[in-house]
Amino acid sequence: MKIAVLDDSKTFLHYMQNMFKKINMQEIYLFENEKEFYSFVKNHKNIDAVFIDYHLKNITGIEVLENTKNYLQGSYKIMITSDSSPDVKEKALKTGFDAFLSKDLSLADLKALVNLIKTLRKFIKKEIEEKESFKQLLKYKEYQEKIIHQKQNKILKNELEMFFDEHHLFETYFKPKDLLTGDTIYTKKISDKNYFIAVIDAMGKGLGASLTSFNALAFLKHSINKAIEYEDFNFKKLIFDFINYVKTILLENEILCVTLVWMENNKFHYANFGNPPIITSTQIIKANNYPIRTNTVDISINSANIEDKILISSDGIFESPYKNTIYFKRLKEIFPHITFLKEIIEDFNKNSNQTDDVCIAYITKEEKNFEILFEDTLNLRKKEIDIFLQKLYFKNIPQIEQIHLILHEILTNTYEHSILMIKNKEKLKDKKIFSQNNIKNNKFYAKIKISKNKNWLKIEYQDNTNGFDVQKIKDAFYKNYHGRGIKIIKHLSYGLFFNEKGTAIKIFLKV
């Protein structure tokens, strides 16, 4: 046992040392002043017991323990005192002392106390080991959750998340109920005006469902990437190959629900295997296939015109509770009045509660009836950007504070990342990087347009830089260390969209 004794009496310390030797206690450390004692307890772990005198020269034993108890949490703490005052003992117990010892103690009393300490220390050490083991288990669990989250995000890279083309605005939403999700979503641009969307929902919960779902998704991603590489994308062939692969990984009684959609010019082709209906502006298109099983043979593929709005989803949002029924009823009521996916999610969070994984792909045609309120072109130099933002703030435009903040974030990010080529994690320690020498040949400019209709304010931004990696912008929503500006824009707006090159942005604010 490791024992420390603090007493300002050399005579008593010598007495204690002899007493401990008589009961074969060898690892005894003696201290006459509190400073040496402080240094010892701070630098030594696993001290079994400390004996502290109450009446010291410059301080009380209670104050000594106050200063050191954080280092003695597993140690047995004994106050040495002849003071029998109840107030002193009460205060000592509140401070953390476990027992009291008189200076005229006998050898038998000391031996009994040491045996008690040994028994308690065995129990405490076991408890500490169990707590440490539990801490390590939690740490391992947190690490595995982090890895799973990173892996899911890597596999679930959706090209059409926050994407716009000449006519359409694309949005996706993915929120698992648990860490291991059985729902996945995949969106991919095949070519101009040619897009692929998949929403997968595996039966059951936990690891089994997650393995099925992500295996199926990985097959789709690989097949489509190869088809694009060899320029031979064939929707019908893809579906048959996918079904044949999925059948090899399903258990005997397992099913897989999938919605596969191919958008081509003004039409979309679909094969819905047991997922909720596809909702459009004028139709509710029910599933045209049963869920996939190991014995699935027949497959139906149908087509429909691309309308103003299309929603493709797993059953998570459809089957969540709403009053005495399910949220699908509410969704049908509000869908005609919806413009952006964020409106659906806000209504869902207000009127229901999530009971399953939620996966949604939402496509809408951009409205054209906007009145231009402001339009300008500026050179992307630091000075010109500052002047532009100063003048903009005083324009007579609705919600100018929000618009000013959004454009400040966009212009700053464009200047730093697309012109100065600063990486996301770099810190700008050298202010010379902003000097005129770095941008004297800058011929980059940005066009900015602000317009309005009855319901929405629209901010349009376009520049002639080489653009930025749009995927990094999307990844920012799953990371804590960067992407603050984009997160602010996403919070303020109802729609945030980028073109493929990262040189144009459209943002919609609610009037």
Side-chain angles (χ1 to χ4, degrees):
M1 286 179 67
K2 185 190 293 184
I3 295 174
V5 183
L6 171 62
D7 197 294
D8 54 8
S9 168
K10 285 184 180 181
T11 303
F12 181 75
L13 290 176
H14 182 69
Y15 171 72
M16 288 294 289
Q17 188 175 38
N18 289 333
M19 293 276 276
F20 280 121
K21 282 182 180 179
K22 288 178 182 179
I23 57 175
N24 297 317
M25 302 299 298
Q26 302 299 323
E27 196 175 357
I28 309 299
Y29 300 88
L30 307 175
F31 302 95
E32 288 185 54
N33 65 74
E34 66 275 8
K35 289 183 179 179
E36 292 176 356
F37 179 78
Y38 291 162
S39 177
F40 176 80
V41 298
K42 287 179 182 178
N43 294 294
H44 288 76
K45 294 181 179 179
N46 300 320
I47 301 172
D48 293 287
V50 292
F51 292 74
I52 302 173
D53 185 21
Y54 176 62
H55 292 288
L56 296 166
K57 288 180 181 178
N58 303 313
I59 195 170
T60 67
I62 290 174
E63 290 172 306
V64 169
L65 187 58
E66 283 280 9
N67 296 331
T68 56
K69 63 183 178 182
N70 288 337
Y71 302 99
L72 299 169
Q73 290 183 8
S75 305
Y76 199 78
K77 298 169 277 290
I78 304 102
M79 175 183 279
I80 305 168
T81 180
S82 298
D83 192 331
S84 58
S85 166
D87 291 340
V88 171
K89 290 188 175 182
E90 183 181 356
K91 190 172 182 182
L93 288 171
K94 286 182 178 179
T95 306
F97 280 102
D98 301 299
F100 303 92
L101 193 64
S102 174
K103 286 198 173 185
D104 59 353
L105 80 163
S106 66
L107 182 63
D109 289 339
L110 182 61
K111 189 173 182 178
L113 179 60
V114 167
N115 287 335
L116 173 64
I117 293 170
K118 283 181 179 179
T119 304
L120 290 172
R121 285 294 291 166
K122 283 181 182 178
F123 174 77
I124 290 169
K125 282 180 179 178
K126 185 179 178 181
E127 192 177 58
I128 289 171
E129 287 172 1
E130 288 176 351
K131 283 183 179 179
E132 186 60 33
S133 177
F134 185 65
K135 280 182 184 178
Q136 292 300 320
L137 186 63
L138 282 178
K139 189 175 180 181
Y140 178 75
K141 179 177 177 288
E142 288 171 0
Y143 171 75
Q144 289 300 324
E145 287 178 350
K146 181 180 177 183
I147 294 297
I148 291 169
H149 190 60
Q150 289 175 347
K151 179 63 72 175
Q152 287 178 348
N153 288 335
K154 186 173 180 65
I155 295 173
L156 289 168
K157 287 190 184 298
N158 285 297
E159 284 189 12
L160 305 185
E161 180 184 6
M162 300 189 292
F163 172 77
F164 77 87
D165 67 7
E166 186 179 352
H167 301 291
H168 297 94
L169 306 171
F170 295 82
E171 299 180 83
T172 65
Y173 182 81
F174 172 67
K175 187 177 181 182
K177 175 65 175 174
D178 302 305
L179 181 66
L180 291 171
T181 175
D183 286 23
T184 50
I185 183 169
Y186 176 57
T187 59
K188 179 76 175 175
K189 179 179 179 180
I190 308 297
S191 60
D192 287 342
K193 301 178 183 179
N194 204 326
Y195 306 102
F196 176 82
I197 299 166
V199 174
I200 301 172
D201 186 359
M203 179 190 76
K205 304 284 184 184
L207 183 60
S210 185
L211 284 172
T212 299
S213 185
F214 278 91
N215 262 288
L217 177 62
F219 178 87
L220 278 176
K221 291 185 70 172
H222 178 75
S223 299
I224 291 173
N225 287 336
K226 285 298 178 183
I228 293 172
E229 181 182 347
Y230 293 107
E231 298 181 352
D232 65 348
F233 177 80
N234 183 302
F235 187 57
K236 185 175 181 180
K237 181 179 182 301
L238 174 69
I239 293 174
F240 276 93
D241 289 346
F242 174 71
I243 299 300
N244 288 331
Y245 173 76
V246 166
K247 286 161 67 174
T248 67
I249 64 172
L250 290 178
L251 299 175
E252 186 177 350
N253 296 315
E254 188 179 8
I255 64 172
L256 184 70
C257 296
V258 185
T259 306
L260 304 174
V261 172
W262 172 37
M263 294 178 62
E264 180 192 26
N265 297 318
N266 296 318
K267 284 189 172 291
F268 71 92
H269 315 280
Y270 64 93
N272 184 344
F273 297 86
N275 255 340
I278 298 170
I279 303 178
T280 73
S281 304
T282 63
Q283 302 179 74
I284 295 177
I285 306 172
K286 294 181 179 179
N288 53 347
N289 296 276
Y290 290 111
I292 303 169
R293 298 178 180 271
T294 54
N295 61 352
T296 295
V297 177
D298 297 326
I299 297 171
S300 295
I301 302 172
N302 296 97
S303 302
N305 291 326
I306 295 176
E307 300 185 27
D308 291 344
K309 291 182 282 189
I310 303 173
L311 184 140
I312 305 157
S313 174
S314 64
D315 62 6
I317 194 168
F318 278 69
E319 295 181 0
S320 290
Y322 170 68
K323 294 184 178 179
N324 296 322
T325 180
I326 57 176
Y327 189 76
F328 180 40
K329 180 180 179 182
R330 172 68 178 171
L331 184 60
K332 289 187 289 184
E333 293 172 358
I334 66 171
F335 195 74
H337 313 291
I338 292 297
T339 303
F340 298 108
L341 183 55
K342 186 175 180 178
E343 296 173 273
I344 296 176
I345 301 305
E346 284 184 343
D347 186 86
F348 174 71
N349 291 334
K350 180 181 178 181
N351 293 291
S352 184
N353 60 284
Q354 184 179 351
T355 57
D356 199 357
D357 304 324
V358 175
C359 276
I360 303 173
Y362 180 72
I363 306 101
T364 181
K365 285 185 179 179
E366 186 178 352
E367 298 177 7
K368 299 298 181 183
N369 57 333
F370 279 85
E371 172 194 355
I372 297 173
L373 303 178
F374 173 82
E375 198 169 9
D376 199 1
T377 301
L378 70 148
N379 187 283
L380 290 172
R381 296 174 187 264
K382 186 71 169 64
K383 184 178 180 181
E384 278 80 354
I385 290 172
D386 290 342
I387 292 171
F388 168 81
L389 289 170
Q390 288 172 8
K391 290 182 177 178
L392 176 69
Y393 194 81
F394 296 101
K395 296 290 182 182
N396 185 23
I397 300 172
Q399 297 171 235
I400 189 62
E401 293 86 0
Q402 291 173 274
I403 293 170
H404 184 272
L405 175 58
I406 288 168
L407 287 173
H408 176 273
E409 293 295 337
I410 291 172
L411 289 167
T412 301
N413 275 281
T414 302
Y415 181 74
E416 291 178 359
H417 303 312
S418 296
I419 296 174
L420 297 181
M421 305 304 290
I422 298 167
K423 294 180 180 179
N424 284 353
K425 293 183 184 179
E426 284 183 15
K427 294 181 179 179
L428 305 178
K429 293 180 180 178
D430 186 0
K431 293 184 180 179
K432 291 181 181 178
I433 200 166
F434 288 103
S435 69
Q436 192 68 22
N437 293 331
N438 295 81
I439 56 171
K440 61 183 179 181
N441 297 318
N442 176 5
K443 296 180 181 178
F444 298 114
Y445 62 86
K447 293 181 178 179
I448 294 170
K449 184 194 295 184
I450 301 170
S451 51
K452 177 181 176 292
N453 68 8
K454 182 180 178 181
N455 299 310
W456 303 101
L457 278 164
K458 179 166 66 170
I459 305 169
E460 294 176 89
Y461 171 93
Q462 186 168 2
D463 63 46
N464 67 335
T465 68
N466 294 323
F468 50 85
D469 188 348
V470 176
Q471 188 58 51
K472 288 183 179 179
I473 297 294
K474 298 171 185 176
D475 289 344
F477 295 108
Y478 307 105
K479 296 177 180 178
N480 295 322
Y481 59 80
H482 75 276
R484 173 184 164 274
I486 295 300
K487 289 175 183 176
I488 290 173
I489 296 173
K490 184 80 170 176
H491 175 73
L492 292 174
S493 65
Y494 272 78
L496 169 61
F497 305 92
F498 301 88
N499 69 345
E500 189 175 9
K501 294 180 180 179
T503 57
I505 307 172
K506 291 183 180 183
I507 299 164
F508 295 84
L509 306 177
K510 203 166 192 176
V511 174

